[in-house]
Amino acid sequence: MTTTDALSSLSTPSLILDEGRMLRNVDRLRQHLDPLGVTIRPHLKTVKSVEAARHVLTGGNGPATVSTLKEAEVFAAAGVKDILYAVGIAPQKLPRVLALRATGCDLTVVLDSPEQATAVANASREAGDAIPVLIEIDSDGHRSGLRPDDPAVVSIGRILADGGAALRGVGTHAGESYGAVGAEALAAFAERERLAAVTAAEALRAAGLPCPVVSVGSTPTAHFARDLSGVTEVRAGVYAFFDLVMAGIGVCTPDDIALSVLTTVIGHQKERGWIMVDAGWMALSRDRGTANQAVDQGYGLVCDIEGRVLDGLVVASANQEHGVIALRSGSSASLPDLAVGTQLRILPNHACATAAQFDGYEVIPADPAQPMAYWPRFRGW
Amino acid sequence: MTTTDALSSLSTPSLILDEGRMLRNVDRLRQHLDPLGVTIRPHLKTVKSVEAARHVLTGGNGPATVSTLKEAEVFAAAGVKDILYAVGIAPQKLPRVLALRATGCDLTVVLDSPEQATAVANASREAGDAIPVLIEIDSDGHRSGLRPDDPAVVSIGRILADGGAALRGVGTHAGESYGAVGAEALAAFAERERLAAVTAAEALRAAGLPCPVVSVGSTPTAHFARDLSGVTEVRAGVYAFFDLVMAGIGVCTPDDIALSVLTTVIGHQKERGWIMVDAGWMALSRDRGTANQAVDQGYGLVCDIEGRVLDGLVVASANQEHGVIALRSGSSASLPDLAVGTQLRILPNHACATAAQFDGYEVIPADPAQPMAYWPRFRGW
């Protein structure tokens, strides 16, 4: 059976993963970062699948980043033993952190306040297990973290080191880089991220505190960093799949996007130039990440079943289980004649959000001699 | 244990359902529609839970509407025997429709093209089972359906009736009513919906075709319809939970909203007036349905753990697992001092989208003497 025949036999909507594109994307970031002398710590919040993670992690089980304790627990059970939980720790979650560490997983937490540091130090002492911590640094005003020169960096470091936790270092994430466009702007963001992390690390060391780990990363900055002096590891997540947001800022092209949603034409409103499909926001997600980019891709860019982009066609609007395909505003293309029953593939705005709407990936194998595979995903917290 | 204690012991983020509010909401629509002489056919795409559906459906198993065949299959297995699948049928899905009907479920499909009608008629003849069909009518230009006076209504009716399917009637959904505000505007939408469905039904009957069912509905029009002459049933979904979009157009108040997301404070950016919580868009969904309303509620309105709205506080932005709480633009309230570890509840923009991010409901019982319950949800297609 050809891949197209295999796709045609799937119920719709389904989530399609092109393994060849994924492997190419993973390899591309390794090729870029290896010469810069840093470890890659992939963020598994994008894939949320043990099978996919095997292809993304160095050696299949290498260091990982997660966004929930559920991810940490699932990947630890699958053999991943070095995990960074990269969302500020709530004190109520420390019993789960300790329970997971007790199974042999080296789980590190992040925080940015004296209150959290005291809670982690107290929990460490009570459990007789020094919980490793990265202090979160704010490099761009995006969300959490301390400014690199904030005296609280050192005072928090001291609470941790003196209190019985394991001060492991600093981490930052240049989330604002998603709004920058092109190689120069993204390289500048990467340098800003590096400088913030290294400055905070130097402050800790100058105060006589340990800082073995200097962790930075986002998919845009990871790809455009030119110098990572002083950095020990880089985190990135969406790079394994890519998406239209990343294409919109020049990190990839639509042909690199490994994820798509298979859908079926269920009707037309010819006077309005609409083609109705059975992928609504429940399948595509409500993410409109390209809305403020130079090219607004609606709820996704439309391809034929082989994955070839159909000129000018986007999912212009979405209800829960209805997608409305139309020509992008200003497009000079003409609406193709796609009969009821025609199958299409939609490239997503944001891979993390779209993948999360599904229970698993229908995998187009990198080796065309192999049959399609199914890789389950998980979710929850 | 008090409800507040029970909530405090939950991990966050969690999805909270206030059973008392839900029962009040369900009862309110029954009280309004019963005197208008129509059957209620609740849309279960909102609840996606057998336990919740028991409280919503008349008699626990009464007529239902669904948005996916998966919903039809799950609810049929739970004993719901009269189901309308209200998304235009793809020919590839007819084997599943027939298989479910063969189990004894009276499943009806909708369509709006001669191609679909021919496919359903052919499948009916081949299976020896006349699949019931509603012809979809477009009452407001929102998405699918034929205009009530389109001659295709009758020609499709004839394809079905002559071809071996069961022409059961017409259905319409005034999706544009979500953009209308206030009782007068919503009553006008309800009348437009009624008139479109009744006009199409009369065209079928004038052509000698059967039309026993005249189905209309959306949560806004269902609540504000004043006369439903000629209509046999009303569909609505989000009314059971309500949400900020419905509050924004005047269908409910925030105190009617039965659904919320429990979250924990994980940090602050005091200079920016931000409170960070562990509910990002993965928990709240990316739905920004209030963005174009008179009051933009961001990613949700913030309440204390008891469910009391905190004046002026919204989730102003969201990353995957981070929510940023801030004062709504223009608010004169002052930012409350909420320590790390404080638990809050977020009212959602769109109940269907937020609920879909979770595997189940933590239910606050209507009877305070009862303990909290857990009602699993399902998803997929």
Side-chain angles (χ1 to χ4, degrees):
Chain A
M1 187 153 68
T2 69
T3 296
T4 303
D5 288 343
L7 289 173
S8 299
S9 70
L10 294 172
S11 66
T12 57
S14 282
L15 184 65
I16 310 300
L17 175 57
D18 184 320
E19 187 190 25
R21 289 186 180 190
M22 179 183 73
L23 295 177
R24 203 169 69 205
N25 294 340
V26 169
D27 190 56
R28 176 182 154 197
L29 189 61
R30 284 211 182 108
Q31 298 283 346
H32 177 65
L33 289 180
D34 281 352
L36 294 173
V38 292
T39 299
I40 305 181
R41 183 183 285 279
H43 204 318
L44 302 181
K45 75 185 175 80
T46 307
V47 301
K48 290 212 187 195
S49 151
V50 171
E51 291 75 4
R54 298 273 183 236
H55 294 75
V56 172
L57 297 176
T58 305
N61 269 338
T65 311
V66 299
S67 68
T68 66
L69 287 178
K70 172 77 169 277
E71 291 166 46
E73 289 160 352
V74 171
F75 291 117
V80 180
K81 295 302 183 194
D82 174 3
I83 300 180
L84 172 66
Y85 169 45
V87 175
I89 189 72
Q92 293 95 323
K93 289 176 178 158
L94 289 169
R96 270 175 84 183
V97 168
L98 286 163
L100 186 57
R101 288 185 49 78
T103 68
C105 175
D106 184 19
L107 180 66
T108 298
V109 302
V110 308
L111 53 77
D112 66 357
S113 71
E115 295 77 4
Q116 289 165 299
T118 302
V120 171
N122 291 347
S124 295
R125 276 204 317 282
E126 282 163 28
D129 175 13
I131 300 172
V133 177
L134 297 189
I135 300 174
E136 190 168 4
I137 305 300
D138 174 17
S139 50
D140 63 357
H142 179 65
R143 59 180 187 211
S144 305
L146 298 160
R147 290 198 190 152
D149 59 355
D150 189 325
V153 173
V154 170
S155 58
I156 288 171
R158 219 175 285 288
I159 292 170
L160 293 166
D162 295 351
L167 174 58
R168 193 162 276 175
V170 294
T172 192
H173 165 66
E176 292 295 307
S177 67
Y178 285 63
V181 180
E184 285 307 313
L186 293 169
F189 256 104
E191 174 55 18
R192 189 168 161 179
E193 197 178 45
R194 184 197 73 80
L195 191 61
V198 167
T199 301
E202 282 167 359
L204 286 173
R205 292 181 191 127
L209 290 163
C211 188
V213 173
V214 180
S215 180
V216 303
S218 72
T219 285
T221 55
H223 285 83
F224 288 92
R226 292 166 182 169
D227 168 35
L228 288 170
S229 304
V231 168
T232 65
E233 65 176 34
V234 171
R235 309 179 318 277
V238 80
Y239 77 100
F241 293 165
F242 280 134
D243 53 28
L244 293 169
V245 167
M246 288 297 113
I249 63 172
V251 181
C252 69
T253 70
D255 286 342
D256 296 319
I257 299 174
L259 203 71
S260 59
V261 172
L262 183 71
T263 187
T264 303
V265 174
I266 59 170
H268 302 86
Q269 292 287 21
K270 286 184 179 158
E271 287 174 27
R272 295 184 210 127
W274 291 355
I275 299 166
M276 314 299 298
V277 293
D278 67 355
W281 58 252
M282 188 63 81
L284 300 171
S285 92
R286 269 291 193 199
D287 199 288
R288 287 282 290 109
T290 58
N292 295 318
Q293 292 193 330
V295 178
D296 182 348
Q297 306 281 17
Y299 283 87
L301 192 56
V302 181
C303 303
D304 67 13
I305 193 169
E306 313 270 7
R308 285 180 295 248
V309 173
L310 297 176
D311 190 28
L313 274 195
V314 297
V315 180
S317 68
N319 291 176
Q320 186 158 339
E321 300 290 352
H322 294 81
V324 179
I325 290 178
L327 289 171
R328 188 190 289 117
S329 176
S331 168
S332 60
S334 57
L335 199 71
D337 186 17
L338 301 171
V340 166
T342 302
Q343 285 173 311
L344 300 166
R345 282 162 63 189
I346 314 295
L347 300 179
N349 280 323
H350 187 173
C352 305
T354 300
Q357 302 298 102
F358 290 84
D359 287 331
Y361 304 99
E362 307 285 350
V363 184
I364 300 173
D367 174 358
Q370 295 296 313
M372 287 193 66
Y374 181 77
W375 294 349
R377 283 178 53 91
F378 62 90
R379 65 176 191 156
W381 292 269
Chain B
M1 187 153 67
T2 67
T3 297
T4 303
D5 290 343
L7 289 173
S8 299
S9 70
L10 294 172
S11 67
T12 57
S14 282
L15 183 66
I16 311 300
L17 176 57
D18 184 321
E19 187 189 26
R21 290 186 179 190
M22 178 183 75
L23 295 178
R24 203 169 69 205
N25 295 338
V26 169
D27 190 56
R28 174 180 156 199
L29 189 60
R30 282 209 185 112
Q31 297 284 346
H32 177 66
L33 289 180
D34 280 353
L36 294 173
V38 292
T39 299
I40 304 181
R41 182 183 286 279
H43 204 318
L44 302 181
K45 75 186 175 80
T46 307
V47 300
K48 290 212 187 197
S49 152
V50 170
E51 291 76 4
R54 299 271 183 240
H55 293 74
V56 172
L57 296 177
T58 304
N61 268 337
T65 311
V66 299
S67 69
T68 66
L69 287 179
K70 173 79 168 275
E71 291 166 48
E73 289 160 353
V74 171
F75 291 116
V80 181
K81 295 303 184 196
D82 174 4
I83 300 180
L84 172 67
Y85 169 45
V87 175
I89 189 73
Q92 293 96 322
K93 289 176 177 159
L94 288 170
R96 270 177 84 186
V97 168
L98 286 163
L100 185 56
R101 288 184 50 78
T103 68
C105 175
D106 184 20
L107 180 67
T108 298
V109 303
V110 307
L111 54 77
D112 65 358
S113 70
E115 295 78 1
Q116 290 166 297
T118 302
V120 171
N122 290 347
S124 295
R125 276 203 317 280
E126 283 162 27
D129 174 12
I131 300 172
V133 177
L134 296 189
I135 300 174
E136 190 168 5
I137 305 302
D138 174 18
S139 49
D140 61 359
H142 179 64
R143 58 181 189 211
S144 305
L146 299 161
R147 293 200 188 149
D149 59 354
D150 190 324
V153 173
V154 171
S155 59
I156 288 171
R158 220 177 282 290
I159 292 170
L160 294 166
D162 295 351
L167 174 58
R168 191 162 278 174
V170 295
T172 193
H173 165 66
E176 292 295 306
S177 66
Y178 286 63
V181 180
E184 286 307 312
L186 293 169
F189 255 104
E191 174 55 18
R192 188 167 162 179
E193 198 179 46
R194 185 198 73 81
L195 191 61
V198 168
T199 301
E202 282 167 1
L204 287 173
R205 291 179 191 130
L209 290 164
C211 188
V213 173
V214 180
S215 179
V216 304
S218 72
T219 286
T221 54
H223 285 83
F224 288 92
R226 293 168 181 169
D227 167 36
L228 288 171
S229 304
V231 168
T232 65
E233 63 176 37
V234 169
R235 308 180 318 277
V238 82
Y239 77 102
F241 293 165
F242 279 134
D243 54 29
L244 293 169
V245 167
M246 288 297 113
I249 64 171
V251 182
C252 67
T253 71
D255 286 340
D256 296 320
I257 299 174
L259 202 72
S260 60
V261 172
L262 184 72
T263 187
T264 303
V265 174
I266 60 170
H268 302 87
Q269 291 287 17
K270 287 184 180 160
E271 288 175 27
R272 293 182 211 128
W274 292 355
I275 300 166
M276 315 296 298
V277 293
D278 68 355
W281 58 254
M282 188 63 82
L284 300 171
S285 94
R286 270 290 194 200
D287 200 288
R288 289 279 292 106
T290 57
N292 295 318
Q293 292 192 331
V295 178
D296 182 348
Q297 307 281 17
Y299 283 89
L301 191 58
V302 181
C303 303
D304 67 14
I305 191 168
E306 313 270 7
R308 285 179 295 248
V309 172
L310 297 176
D311 190 27
L313 274 194
V314 297
V315 180
S317 68
N319 291 176
Q320 185 157 337
E321 300 290 352
H322 295 80
V324 180
I325 290 177
L327 289 170
R328 188 190 289 118
S329 174
S331 169
S332 59
S334 59
L335 200 71
D337 186 17
L338 300 171
V340 166
T342 303
Q343 287 174 311
L344 300 167
R345 282 163 63 189
I346 314 296
L347 300 180
N349 280 322
H350 187 172
C352 305
T354 300
Q357 302 300 104
F358 290 84
D359 286 332
Y361 304 99
E362 307 285 351
V363 183
I364 300 173
D367 174 358
Q370 295 297 312
M372 287 194 65
Y374 181 77
W375 294 349
R377 284 177 52 92
F378 62 90
R379 65 177 193 155
W381 291 268

